[in-house]
Amino acid sequence: MSGKLVLKHVTKEYGDGQSTIKVLNDVNLEVKEGEFVAIVGPSGSGKSTFLSIAGALLSPTSGSVLLDGEEIQHFTSRQLNEIRLNKIGFIFQSANLIPYLTVRDQLLLIGKLDGEDRAEVEERADGLLNRLGLEHRKDLYPEMLSGGERQRVAIARAWMNNPEIILADEPTASLDSERGRDVVVMLAHEVKHSRKAAVMVTHDHRMLDLCDRVLFMEDGCLTPYDPAKQ
């Protein structure tokens, strides 16, 4: 498998040996560069656990996780921190912006954490803000932005470290349908423009036409999505 994100026979179990709950059950997935994959399914089906494992926040009980060709499930905590900082961009249900930082400073902070040259960081931040239509909002604080603008800032922030993988957890949950679609259109465009691999967990079926592939998760199993059945 040569995808940017690959999960092979991933299982995640919780329990004490006598009582075990299998949250993920033999999950296999390959996401290539420039591919935008959606995962739908009922609450409690394992979607959040899947994202946590794909994003190096949780280790699988068994199976392999490869990011850009590297197997990460046995990495040290320090190595995993570097992977999360340098190779993964997270977008959550709420934008999770830092309230006392301006739009531009939200992005600059990411570059500062990575120890990059300040001039290069500023150039990349300004370029992202311009591309996402936020240049005129760059000096505002999160409370002064609309919900859609905050999510656009979250997308820009996720792109600041030039990650290989984008993981989005219900990015439209706090938005109305029009603003939600704008956000996913922007996300899809950036995936193609920057040749990233992206996975979006969503309950919003109106966004699925913007994705290259849709999968269904239920009882910890990942299968092709069939609108007629689901």
Side-chain angles (χ1 to χ4, degrees), residues 24-79:
L24 293 181
N25 184 11
D26 195 33
V27 169
N28 293 279
L29 177 66
E30 177 181 3
V31 187
K32 297 181 171 63
E33 69 173 34
E35 186 177 24
F36 188 21
V37 175
I39 296 179
V40 299
S43 297
S45 61
K47 301 188 301 299
S48 294
T49 301
F50 165 85
L51 276 188
S52 294
I53 288 175
L57 296 169
L58 272 181
S59 297
T61 303
S62 61
S64 304
V65 181
L66 292 88
L67 293 182
D68 206 19
E70 288 187 288
E71 280 203 31
I72 67 166
Q73 69 270 15
H74 302 304
F75 276 19
T76 65
S77 295
R78 183 172 180 176
Q79 287 174 311

Side-chain angles (χ1 to χ4, degrees), residues 9 35 38 69 88 125 184 196 200 223 228-229:
H9 303 294
E35 186 177 24
I88 303 170
V184 179
K196 306 303 181 187
M200 175 179 69
T223 58
K229 294 180 180 179

Side-chain angles (χ1 to χ4, degrees), residues 5-208:
L5 171 63
V6 178
L7 280 76
K8 293 195 240 183
H9 303 294
V10 166
T11 295
K12 182 64 176 177
E13 296 176 345
Y14 293 100
D16 55 11
Q18 297 180 352
S19 176
T20 301
I21 298 173
K22 188 172 286 189
V23 183
L24 293 181
N25 184 11
D26 195 33
V27 169
N28 293 279
L29 177 66
E30 177 181 3
V31 187
K32 297 181 171 63
E33 69 173 34
E35 186 177 24
F36 188 21
V37 175
I39 296 179
V40 299
S43 297
S45 61
K47 301 188 301 299
S48 294
T49 301
F50 165 85
L51 276 188
S52 294
I53 288 175
L57 296 169
L58 272 181
S59 297
T61 303
S62 61
S64 304
V65 181
L66 292 88
L67 293 182
D68 206 19
E70 288 187 288
E71 280 203 31
I72 67 166
Q73 69 270 15
H74 302 304
F75 276 19
T76 65
S77 295
R78 183 172 180 176
Q79 287 174 311
L80 290 173
N81 282 336
E82 290 179 0
I83 285 282
R84 287 190 290 266
L85 181 59
N86 296 311
K87 292 202 170 185
I88 303 170
F90 292 98
I91 303 169
F92 300 101
Q93 293 184 30
S94 58
N96 288 324
L97 302 180
I98 299 170
Y100 53 82
L101 291 182
T102 65
V103 166
R104 189 171 187 261
D105 285 343
Q106 307 275 345
L107 275 59
L108 296 181
L109 176 63
I110 301 299
K112 184 177 181 181
L113 290 172
D114 202 25
E116 294 185 69
D117 177 75
R118 183 172 178 85
E120 291 180 8
V121 171
E122 290 180 347
E123 183 179 353
R124 186 157 74 253
D126 290 338
L128 279 167
L129 293 174
N130 183 61
R131 202 154 80 230
L132 295 182
L134 290 163
E135 67 281 357
H136 64 300
R137 314 293 273 170
K138 66 181 181 181
D139 296 322
L140 300 183
Y141 292 91
E143 65 178 13
M144 305 165 77
L145 305 174
S146 69
E149 287 171 335
R150 285 195 290 270
Q151 279 296 58
R152 276 189 276 161
V153 175
I155 291 174
R157 184 180 59 185
W159 248 269
M160 262 306 287
N161 59 356
N162 195 26
E164 298 297 326
I165 314 294
I166 295 291
L167 300 175
D169 184 9
E170 301 280 3
T172 66
S174 60
L175 305 175
D176 62 42
S177 58
E178 182 179 355
R179 288 182 176 84
R181 190 167 182 86
D182 286 346
V183 163
V184 179
V185 165
M186 211 161 289
L187 187 53
H189 174 77
E190 286 297 305
V191 169
K192 301 303 179 189
H193 176 84
S194 303
R195 303 298 297 164
K196 306 303 181 187
V199 178
M200 175 179 69
V201 163
T202 183
H203 279 102
D204 195 340
H205 289 225
R206 294 168 299 181
M207 307 298 166
L208 300 184

